Amino acid sequence: MRVLVVGGAGYIGSHMVRLLDRAGHQVVVLDNLSTGFEKAVTAGDLVVGDMADSALVESVLKKHRIEAVMHFAAFALVGESVENPAKYYQNNVVGTLSLLESMRRCGVTRIVFSSTCATYGVPEVLPIRETSNQAPVNPYGFTKLVCERALQDYAHAYDFGFAALRYFNAAGASPVGDIGEDHDPETHLIPIILQVALNQRESVTIFGDDWATRDGTCVRDYIHVDDLGAAHLAALEKLEPGKGLKINLGSGRGYSVREVIDCCRQVTGIDIDFEIGSRRAGDPPELVAEPVLAKELLGWTPQYDEIQAIVETAWKWHQQHPSGYNS
Ligand code: UDP
């Protein structure tokens, strides 16, 4: 299939580009490089531009006779979305609506959309099923929920076929170690812990140890970035006009912040320092997926089923690229 990967120079998008290429798809990447890297694009053509630039998007869709879009171009930091919601609504909502309109005008109606467990807010029941109530507790989650709703309405009214894949915590890197996670500033747990191991930081701050969880720290479901990609490949084959799939992508196992630090200590063999800080605004205490629907509908289960194996790939990337893509 001819696939446009919007946000294909970013962390998850760049891993997706590689997997699409390996699976025999033709890939075109559209990325404004606001947080992505040219070097991260290892296959296909790269068009530098914004998804809100309708003229550009429509010319790319037509020129490359695109059959489906994968949309990764979003800001995705919970804390930042609380501090600066305008940035999130503008890009994640306005930008996505513009992309959908460009697709509609060009008759491209298949899309795999990156959604998130943040649309569930503080879950009433764990693990989280797709039918759980969606009540986001931060602007980031809300922007993704708005897009899910727009997709549903586009499916109903304009015969779009979509998959909204609700990621839990993306982590790890391509096993070769040549592409990986690079954010500036870094805010994600595993890269921060590994930066301590690399002596780039003194310690990692745990955001609260007084949550009602097994050790008082937040619990998350970490999923390898290539496993996310594999689920997208499967979803691409299942898109049907007028229908929408909404599927959790998680392992079904949660790890606390303390457990993640312990795992990183084991993988690196380094005694990583931490301190206890205050809670971060917008954080739910525990997010763990019920992953059965992904298995049922996509035939998908994560290949990296232990956090240790995920951290090993991240560690390889960070060791080889201590300053990310500028190394
Ligand atoms: N976290 C932390 N210290 C940090 C960064 C993250 O304790 O320096 C916690 C955070 O509160 C959350 C988990 O680690 O419970 C994962 O956070 P991350 O930002 O990686 O992903 P998110 O869950 O926000 O998507």
Side-chain angles (χ1 to χ4, degrees):
M1 222 182 277
R2 291 181 297 274
V3 183
L4 178 66
V5 183
V6 183
Y11 170 44
I12 304 172
S14 61
H15 289 77
M16 187 73 244
V17 166
R18 171 168 288 171
L19 296 188
L20 280 164
D21 180 59
R22 285 195 184 148
H25 296 284
Q26 276 169 266
V27 185
V28 180
V29 171
L30 175 73
D31 200 300
N32 64 11
L33 299 182
S34 64
T35 56
F37 298 88
E38 206 174 330
K39 279 188 201 164
V41 180
T42 58
D45 294 337
L46 170 64
V47 178
V48 178
D50 201 278
M51 66 181 160
D53 181 346
S54 318
L56 175 69
V57 173
E58 287 169 39
S59 79
V60 171
L61 291 174
K62 286 184 197 146
K63 181 180 165 202
H64 296 276
R65 294 181 296 122
I66 295 297
E67 296 165 287
V69 171
M70 287 191 176
H71 172 23
F72 299 90
F75 295 120
L77 304 180
V78 167
E80 185 187 55
S81 79
V82 176
E83 305 286 317
N84 189 5
K87 177 176 173 182
Y88 280 69
Y89 283 98
Q90 194 59 43
N91 182 74
N92 296 7
V93 177
V94 178
T96 297
L97 295 180
S98 175
L99 173 67
L100 294 182
E101 276 304 276
S102 295
M103 289 174 62
R104 187 159 78 95
R105 281 196 286 267
C106 293
V108 180
T109 54
R110 279 186 275 197
I111 179 165
V112 183
F113 173 68
S114 306
S115 191
T116 169
C117 60
T119 59
Y120 294 113
V122 179
E124 283 155 16
V125 181
L126 287 164
I128 303 171
R129 306 190 85 97
E130 287 79 355
T131 48
S132 300
N133 191 30
Q134 286 180 294
V137 292
N138 52 62
Y140 165 57
F142 204 81
T143 61
K144 290 289 185 173
L145 184 56
V146 172
C147 294
E148 279 199 9
R149 183 57 203 247
L151 286 167
Q152 191 173 309
D153 293 337
Y154 270 58
H156 176 73
Y158 312 130
D159 260 356
F160 270 51
F162 76 91
L165 302 181
R166 296 176 184 153
Y167 311 162
F168 283 65
N169 284 60
S174 193
V176 197
D178 62 335
I179 55 175
E181 197 166 3
D182 182 357
H183 300 113
D184 185 20
E186 190 50 77
T187 64
H188 292 104
L189 182 64
I190 293 173
I192 285 181
I193 299 171
L194 297 178
Q195 286 176 350
V196 180
L198 286 169
N199 264 326
Q200 294 175 346
R201 290 174 190 258
E202 294 263 301
S203 66
V204 50
T205 302
I206 295 179
F207 296 148
D209 69 347
D210 55 353
W211 296 95
T213 58
R214 53 182 174 266
D215 64 14
T217 68
C218 285
V219 172
R220 294 287 183 274
D221 182 339
Y222 294 87
I223 185 86
H224 193 276
V225 62
D226 280 347
D227 277 326
L228 291 180
H232 284 67
L233 285 179
L236 190 59
E237 306 299 330
K238 301 276 177 193
L239 300 177
E240 271 184 63
K243 295 223 168 106
L245 300 170
K246 296 164 188 172
I247 303 177
N248 285 343
L249 297 182
S251 70
R253 271 180 75 172
Y255 293 88
S256 73
V257 177
R258 282 183 195 275
E259 287 164 352
V260 176
I261 295 173
D262 283 344
C263 173
C264 292
R265 284 178 166 173
Q266 276 170 26
V267 168
T268 62
I270 296 166
D271 189 22
I272 294 158
D273 272 348
F274 66 85
E275 51 191 52
I276 307 297
S278 48
R279 292 180 174 191
R280 181 173 67 177
D283 262 346
E286 182 158 355
L287 295 170
V288 178
E290 168 56 80
V292 289
L293 194 64
K295 188 165 184 197
E296 213 175 284
L297 297 182
L298 303 177
W300 175 86
T301 45
Q303 299 302 299
Y304 291 83
D305 55 359
E306 292 286 334
I307 191 159
Q308 174 128 1
I310 297 176
V311 170
E312 277 166 9
T313 63
W315 181 227
K316 187 166 178 183
W317 153 256
H318 287 288
Q319 275 182 302
Q320 288 179 16
H321 301 83
S323 309
Y325 285 101
N326 293 325
S327 300

